[in-house]
Amino acid sequence: MTDSEYEQTERTRIFRKPGRGSYDRELVHSILDEALTCHVGFIQDGQPFVVPTIHARVEDTLFLHGARGNRTFNVLGDGVPCCVTVTLVDELVLARAALHHSLNYRSVMVLGRAHEVTDPGEKGEALRAVVEHIAPGRAEEVRGPDETDLKSTKVLSMEIEEASAKVRTGPPADEEKDLDLPNWAGRLPLTQGTGDPVTAPDLAEDLPVPKSVRGWARP
Ligand SMILES: Cc1cc2nc3c(=O)[nH]c(=O)nc-3n(C[C@H](O)[C@H](O)[C@H](O)COP(=O)(O)OP(=O)(O)OC[C@H]3O[C@@H](n4cnc5c(N)ncnc54)[C@H](O)[C@@H]3O)c2cc1C
């Protein structure tokens, strides 16, 4: 591992289309930060599970949080090997041949073990990072976790030790023999937008929509 790259290991070496692979730390971080949620995979009693959940990254650590009785977090908290993936789908790639249809995407896979965060200060910071991951600026606008919140919530930290990114960009890759076919080919960019904020029906008073909501966007 260097300052700018994660070490390419036997487990993270990209065999298929290696040109799309990267171990660049900034790229890995940017994909993790832009993705709202991740999927965490682990094996319990021989059965693989892949669970969608919210993550937050602080430097080289991922934080996950869940209710104390949560099965996934209880299993992961024991330090069992796990795998976190995130995927950003940027464009549809529409080829002349059905076979060559694809997606332009950015994805990351992180391998490691998660451990429970028990220090109240570190736990509070991790929960703050989770809120900030979803809506930057939101942590300043709301009540922070109190003692009861901290007790009822389990926070896991996972060091990003092994990580890879895989990115596809560019036009469809049709075969030479198909280039003259009378079928349209190209890319359809996808965007992530927001609708109008919907005020909670039990809001205590008529409050303005705060900055973190008005200006919400992914990094
Ligand atoms: C986008 C997204 C973000 C989420 N973020 C969080 C988070 O930050 N923290 C958190 O604690 N939970 C989060 N959840 C819920 C999470 O996916 C799990 O449902 C939850 O963590 C409970 O896990 P468990 O292993 O205790 O579930 P259990 O209830 O023990 O799981 C039992 C069975 O229920 C089914 N099941 C459980 N979860 C799901 C699911 N999501 N979809 C379909 N079937 C399911 C499966 O068959 C599973 O084997 C999120 C879900 C989504 C979709």
Side-chain angles (χ1 to χ4, degrees):
M1 189 157 70
T2 66
D3 277 355
S4 62
E5 289 211 329
Y6 289 105
E7 185 185 351
Q8 185 186 131
T9 67
E10 265 317 293
R11 302 200 302 176
T12 58
R13 184 144 65 91
I14 293 177
F15 289 91
R16 175 100 187 110
K17 309 255 185 201
R20 294 180 185 169
S22 171
Y23 303 88
D24 183 83
R25 187 182 297 262
E26 269 184 36
L27 177 68
V28 167
H29 289 182
S30 71
I31 296 170
L32 287 167
D33 293 349
E34 187 172 332
L36 269 178
T37 61
C38 69
H39 284 84
V40 53
F42 59 94
I43 293 175
Q44 184 184 24
D45 300 331
Q47 170 62 52
F49 291 92
V50 178
V51 180
T53 194
I54 298 168
H55 64 286
R57 180 192 66 83
V58 178
E59 293 171 1
D60 273 314
T61 302
L62 288 182
F63 290 106
L64 312 174
H65 81 303
R68 192 146 279 288
N70 182 312
R71 180 269 314 254
T72 298
F73 286 81
N74 285 337
V75 174
L76 292 175
D78 285 341
V80 305
C82 62
C83 174
V84 169
T85 61
V86 303
T87 307
L88 302 168
V89 178
D90 295 321
E91 299 183 320
L92 308 187
V93 179
L94 305 155
R96 294 158 184 86
L99 178 75
H100 292 295
H101 282 66
S102 187
L103 295 171
N104 279 338
Y105 61 84
R106 288 166 288 151
S107 58
V108 159
M109 193 179 283
V110 178
L111 302 176
R113 290 169 195 265
H115 296 280
E116 184 174 359
V117 176
T118 51
D119 177 76
E122 201 188 333
K123 201 168 164 179
E125 282 305 309
L127 289 171
R128 182 189 165 86
V130 171
V131 172
E132 286 292 302
H133 173 77
I134 295 297
R138 187 73 183 147
E140 293 301 326
E141 298 169 349
V142 296
R143 172 179 76 71
D146 60 20
E147 208 177 315
T148 312
D149 297 338
L150 290 176
K151 268 196 188 131
S152 62
T153 309
K154 200 161 191 172
V155 173
L156 303 180
S157 72
M158 180 186 178
E159 207 64 33
I160 309 176
E161 284 173 5
E162 285 176 80
S164 54
K166 197 169 177 183
V167 177
R168 189 200 191 281
T169 56
D174 272 307
E175 291 165 51
E176 193 76 32
K177 68 176 169 63
D178 291 334
L179 293 184
D180 292 331
L181 288 176
N183 307 112
W184 185 87
R187 298 175 290 126
L188 184 63
L190 303 174
T191 55
Q192 182 168 247
T194 56
D196 292 333
V198 182
T199 299
D202 50 3
L203 200 70
E205 45 182 301
D206 192 16
L207 296 170
V209 175
K211 199 169 157 211
S212 72
V213 179
R214 279 186 278 116
W216 188 91
R218 298 317 293 155

